[in-house]
Amino acid sequence: MGVEVPGERRGYENFGGVAEEFTSQSTPWWPEPVRARPDAPNVIVVLVDDLGFSDLGPFGSEIPTPHIDRLAGDGWVFTNYRTAPLCSPARAALLTGLNPHRAGFGFVSHVDPGYPGYTCELPRNAPTLAESLRAGGYATFMVGKWHLTPEAQLHDGADRRTWPLQRGFDRYFGSMDGFTSLHHPHRLIRDNSVIDIPEFPDGYFLTDQLTDEALTMIDELRVNDTAKPFFLYYAHTSVHGPIQAKDTDIQQFHGSYEAGWNALRQARFERQHELGIVPDHAELFEDGSIADWDDLDAEQRLLFARHMEVYAAAVHEVDESIGRLREHLASIGELDNTLIVLASDNGGSAEGGAGGTRSYFAQFAVTAELPEGWVKDVPRDPAEIGGPRLFGQYPEGWARVSNTPFRSFKASTYEGGVHAPLIVSWPAAPTEARGLRDQSVFVSDITPTILDLVRVAPPEEWAGAPAEAPDGASFVEALEDVAAPGRELQYFECAGRRALIDGEWKAVSPEPPTIDEGGSGGRWELYHLGDDPSETRDLADRQPGLTSSLAERWRQEAWRNAVFPLDDDGALRANRPVTEARLAEAVTLPPFRPPLERFRSAKLTVLRSFTVEIDTVLGTDAAGVLVAHGDQGGGYLLAIDHGAPLLSYNAYGDMHRATGTALTPGPHRLTLHVDELPELRWRIRLDIDDTLDAEIPSVPMLLGMAPFTGISIGYDYGGPIDWNLYEQHRSYRFTGGELLNVRYIPGAPSQYDRTVLHEIGRTVAKLTD
């Protein structure tokens, strides 16, 4: 018999069986898998982008939404639902149950200026709805718009800690940015990787593919597990600008909006009264800021009506996607036991301005002061609006219709910016008390409510720390009891615009305070929402004491929710960590790969001069695109066409072209010099073998988020920059030669670039000295 050697047994601490030295003496054991409770409902959350309060049939719209009407008929229509004024804050609050700033999203997911409420990252220890449901035994899927990752972490070398799969989703398909073209998406991600799409087929439409992908995820789950419930987060990119739709759908609405926005707004308001969506004493807010339809000329009315026809078609397409989901669930016998929540992320958007635009990027997200004469709407055939040839946005007169009966628009803390539609549907719910609900509900209440309904407890610990306590609360009681109480208190903030709701009182400060006025200072207005839901009568002068106390309560809530600091000097938009500097370093790009990510591309070109060096060997029949950056919203490309260099520049829809001299076969260096000129303009010169060959003397710079599609080498990816070239050659893949080297060399930033890079940890070091 051997001598027993005392020793440590490791690796068996959580083993529930018996382990001896031989299997014949041992007992196997497997941990019990996490399973949802029997008959747990599926969960679908549908979030529509920039949809106004009145844009759906159950909320007074004339746009046919029969599938959403049926959804409402199976459940509850909330008439007093509020959300954040902007999209990323709303999405963060929805998925975490936290108030927007506590979730790290005091603004849209672009800049991390170095403050807790504006990190543009969900807290690691705040479990998302997907993470909670997956921990409760659900499969978790997402399609559509994410917009919860900082721009600097969207590129292919990013660590992906803020991407959907790292925040609880088993599968993802969609666009990580805040919007995209529905006809030619600028970048699509499947799970954790960019999809290589050499060319989109004719008739492609993103909303259709999002729905296809969602149905595929459900089917692929069911062929492998017939019992596991699923959570699907369907975040539409529609109806965010650029507003686009399929031509067949647009044609359905031809001539529907010739009566104009005044008549349509009144008609929606009357239907809202009939439906009980607004109280009888509600009034339409009027301030004369939007032109009467009858005062417009015939050309304006034709153009503006087309914009609304496209918008109506886009809403109709959202409804069709919901119809496809419901039909499929019914076909597999799961519709009745599927909880569906439908909402908008914020109010309708007035980004199109008074006249709308066919040149979306000429004004969207532009931080530099535009010079006099800047063209914000390049004239083009109205029939092209909504199609793949331009990026459009409807005029603010229609946005006001979308937000009927409320005041103002997206990004505002008035009701028009935050009061949105909400529908909850669950045919198999254990209560029959359905219909209208007027309880006050906020976006951060959705996750606690869903977890309550499906009986999944939120995790007490997450990411190695106690889980963040949600700010939202379940409104399940309101589903069961029409007289149940709703939310009493909620703060709002967007770019210094502030508001607080306390019961039926609402204090609003429509512009940021100065540093001398303090965080609760500045001009405040006061409204009694019970008597005046559309904020038509300011009572601040009559009740200054109440107004001041609500302003002070807002300040307290701001400190409780990481809202401060307010941006009094532009720092929240300008400050960035120095780690972003590497994204503006020169880079050599390989040919025929998916485009360089949008923000990485922009750091090489936007608000600066830059140079592109191209080394190539041309054959006798060489032809095709050498480099392309952008799309129909704005961009530039260099191609070899008919043996000679072709330089095309799309200035938000205004085309500029220059052709060089025919090139001989053999090696050549082509150098594109893009030099800044005064008043936000560029001069573009093309050198062939160090000799000037072609020039575009002066064009408007591409600003903001243009060029939107990233840099592609050897072909023109996605939405074409030069439509004439596209009609002849499609993506015009380079052939008949070799692309040896394509290198981008950024120059000095423009004087208009207000970005300030800060060393990480420097402030901390000072505090600890």
Side-chain angles (χ1 to χ4, degrees):
M1 206 173 157
V3 178
E4 182 175 347
V5 179
E8 183 182 8
R9 294 176 59 144
R10 296 195 300 176
Y12 300 95
E13 293 83 2
N14 298 313
F15 180 58
V18 177
E20 299 295 346
E21 293 187 354
F22 296 95
T23 56
S24 60
Q25 301 170 320
S26 306
T27 303
W29 174 84
W30 294 268
E32 187 69 26
V34 176
R35 292 189 177 93
R37 64 179 176 83
D39 299 322
N42 303 314
V43 177
I44 298 177
V45 173
V46 179
L47 191 64
V48 190
D49 205 346
D50 289 0
L51 184 78
F53 178 75
S54 76
D55 281 331
L56 302 177
F59 291 85
S61 180
E62 77 295 335
I63 303 170
T65 56
H67 303 293
I68 293 173
D69 296 350
R70 284 191 282 275
L71 197 71
D74 288 335
W76 300 264
V77 174
F78 282 83
T79 63
N80 211 11
Y81 169 71
R82 293 179 181 85
T83 179
L86 288 174
C87 45
S88 293
R91 291 158 203 276
L94 186 154
L95 286 177
T96 63
L98 301 177
N99 281 328
H101 296 77
R102 275 231 308 144
F105 284 85
F107 201 66
V108 290
S109 184
H110 295 306
V111 180
D112 174 5
Y115 298 101
Y118 303 87
T119 61
C120 292
E121 290 192 28
L122 301 177
R124 297 294 299 275
N125 66 326
T128 66
L129 178 58
E131 288 168 329
S132 295
L133 289 175
R134 185 161 68 179
Y138 276 69
T140 54
F141 309 137
M142 181 183 172
V143 297
K145 168 179 169 175
W146 177 239
H147 209 204
L148 292 174
T149 294
E151 286 181 316
Q153 295 177 21
L154 291 173
H155 61 84
D156 296 320
D159 65 14
R160 292 164 169 76
R161 69 182 182 273
T162 62
W163 289 32
L165 264 61
Q166 283 63 246
R167 292 316 312 249
F169 290 97
D170 298 329
R171 302 184 64 181
Y172 171 70
F173 174 86
S175 172
M176 297 280 291
D177 266 299
F179 57 91
T180 193
S181 166
L182 301 183
H183 297 289
H184 299 109
H186 73 293
R187 180 176 165 92
L188 290 173
I189 299 292
R190 187 181 301 283
D191 299 331
N192 272 332
S193 300
V194 63
I195 303 174
D196 188 358
I197 305 173
E199 195 167 274
F200 289 96
D202 288 337
Y204 175 88
F205 198 69
L206 179 58
T207 302
D208 292 339
Q209 186 174 11
L210 293 178
T211 308
D212 290 342
E213 296 283 341
L215 298 180
T216 297
M217 291 176 187
I218 294 169
D219 286 346
E220 290 180 354
L221 171 66
R222 283 294 167 258
V223 299
N224 292 285
D225 191 325
T226 59
K228 189 174 189 177
F230 66 82
F231 165 48
L232 169 64
Y233 175 36
Y234 191 147
H236 277 275
T237 51
S238 201
V239 291
H240 193 293
I243 302 171
Q244 296 176 321
K246 293 180 287 189
D247 185 63
T248 53
D249 293 325
I250 298 171
Q251 293 309 313
Q252 293 184 45
F253 296 94
H254 181 68
S256 298
Y257 294 99
E258 293 175 352
W261 48 57
N262 298 90
L264 183 64
R265 187 173 183 233
Q266 184 62 42
R268 287 194 181 185
F269 189 49
E270 291 172 2
R271 273 193 297 276
Q272 289 175 331
H273 281 302
E274 294 169 3
L275 294 168
I277 297 299
V278 299
D280 291 340
H281 59 267
E283 301 176 19
L284 283 174
F285 175 80
E286 302 285 357
D287 66 354
S289 62
I290 293 174
D292 285 340
W293 187 261
D294 291 342
D295 292 339
L296 303 174
D297 62 37
E299 185 177 355
Q300 288 174 312
R301 291 196 295 268
L302 178 67
L303 172 62
F304 296 170
R306 171 67 181 195
H307 274 295
M308 188 59 195
E309 291 166 9
V310 172
Y311 185 85
V315 173
H316 166 75
E317 288 162 353
V318 169
D319 182 72
E320 288 292 303
S321 73
I322 290 172
R324 290 184 61 197
L325 282 172
R326 283 172 53 87
E327 180 182 3
H328 189 72
L329 291 170
S331 72
I332 61 175
E334 298 190 34
L335 177 61
D336 284 352
N337 200 31
T338 298
L339 168 65
I340 302 178
V341 177
L342 170 68
S344 176
D345 60 348
N346 44 246
S349 173
E351 291 160 350
T357 183
R358 289 157 285 186
S359 304
Y360 189 68
F361 290 118
Q363 57 188 20
F364 180 78
V366 174
T367 57
E369 184 176 347
L370 297 176
E372 185 176 350
W374 186 271
V375 178
K376 295 184 177 182
D377 178 30
V378 174
R380 278 167 287 174
D381 185 351
E384 300 290 352
I385 297 172
R389 294 196 61 169
L390 61 80
F391 288 5
Q393 178 75 16
Y394 69 170
E396 63 186 10
W398 293 123
R400 185 177 66 166
V401 171
S402 288
N403 294 335
T404 304
F406 300 121
R407 175 180 186 172
S408 199
F409 313 98
K410 171 185 177 180
S412 165
T413 55
Y414 287 117
E415 290 293 282
V418 300
H419 206 129
L422 172 66
I423 297 171
V424 178
S425 173
W426 184 13
T431 177
E432 296 300 321
R434 300 162 194 258
L436 293 179
R437 293 292 185 272
D438 64 0
Q439 286 89 347
S440 179
V441 174
F442 187 62
V443 61
S444 61
D445 299 328
I446 288 178
T447 277
T449 302
I450 290 173
L451 295 178
D452 192 2
L453 284 170
V454 304
R455 288 187 273 165
V456 170
E460 295 181 0
E461 293 188 358
W462 201 253
E468 288 281 1
D471 298 305
S474 171
F475 55 84
V476 165
E477 188 180 351
L479 303 181
E480 301 167 345
D481 181 3
V482 69
R487 172 180 286 268
E488 284 294 310
L489 186 74
Q490 183 59 46
Y491 84 92
F492 302 86
E493 189 275 338
C494 181
R497 298 179 287 272
R498 299 154 290 160
L500 182 86
I501 291 178
D502 188 354
E504 293 194 327
W505 289 102
K506 181 178 180 182
V508 182
S509 183
E511 62 267 333
T514 66
I515 192 170
D516 294 332
E517 292 169 328
S520 62
R523 182 174 67 86
W524 286 84
E525 301 167 2
L526 180 67
Y527 301 96
H528 189 273
L529 296 179
D531 297 334
D532 181 21
S534 46
E535 300 166 313
T536 65
R537 297 183 295 277
D538 179 9
L539 304 177
D541 289 342
R542 300 184 194 177
Q543 301 208 44
L546 177 58
T547 305
S548 295
S549 67
L550 291 176
E552 175 58 24
R553 184 60 190 272
W554 180 90
R555 188 182 70 83
Q556 296 170 7
E557 288 296 299
W559 278 118
R560 287 186 67 248
N561 288 281
V563 175
F564 290 125
L566 300 180
D567 193 5
D568 64 319
D569 60 1
L572 292 188
R573 299 294 297 274
N575 287 354
R576 292 178 181 263
V578 73
T579 49
E580 289 191 13
R582 67 182 185 274
L583 298 179
E585 295 174 353
V587 61
T588 299
L589 299 173
F592 311 119
R593 303 285 178 82
L596 189 67
E597 185 273 324
R598 175 191 64 79
F599 185 68
R600 171 68 165 114
S601 297
K603 297 301 286 184
L604 301 170
T605 64
V606 174
L607 283 177
R608 68 194 327 146
S609 300
F610 63 94
T611 301
V612 186
E613 295 177 347
I614 304 169
D615 291 318
T616 183
V617 177
L618 303 180
T620 56
D621 57 350
V625 170
L626 302 177
V627 62
H629 185 192
D631 42 49
Q632 282 290 287
Y636 59 91
L637 68 75
L638 176 62
I640 303 299
D641 189 46
H642 298 293
L646 170 65
L647 181 60
S648 292
Y649 187 88
N650 186 327
Y652 311 107
D654 184 15
M655 288 302 305
H656 303 258
R657 299 181 181 90
T659 302
T661 56
L663 297 177
T664 58
H668 293 282
R669 166 164 282 198
L670 289 75
T671 307
L672 196 63
H673 300 279
V674 182
D675 300 317
E676 182 179 5
L677 300 175
E679 297 190 326
L680 294 172
R681 300 185 74 81
W682 272 328
R683 177 180 64 237
I684 304 175
R685 295 176 295 123
L686 175 64
D687 290 351
I688 304 295
D689 301 324
D690 298 323
T691 301
L692 179 64
D693 189 62
E695 180 177 6
I696 299 178
S698 178
V699 287
M701 271 189 180
L702 298 172
L703 301 173
M705 298 183 76
F708 193 60
T709 299
I711 300 166
S712 53
I713 306 300
Y715 70 117
D716 184 7
Y717 171 87
I721 294 161
D722 187 329
W723 194 268
N724 289 349
L725 207 62
Y726 174 76
E727 287 185 323
Q728 299 174 53
H729 304 288
R730 306 290 292 185
S731 60
Y732 211 1
R733 195 174 183 89
F734 178 71
T735 59
E738 292 183 76
L739 273 173
L740 303 177
N741 181 77
V742 179
R743 186 165 180 79
Y744 267 75
I745 305 170
S750 166
Q751 62 175 323
Y752 298 99
D753 186 354
R754 300 188 179 97
T755 300
V756 180
L757 297 179
H758 292 265
E759 293 288 347
I760 291 178
R762 178 174 291 176
T763 302
V764 175
K766 289 180 180 178
L767 291 174
T768 55
D769 280 348

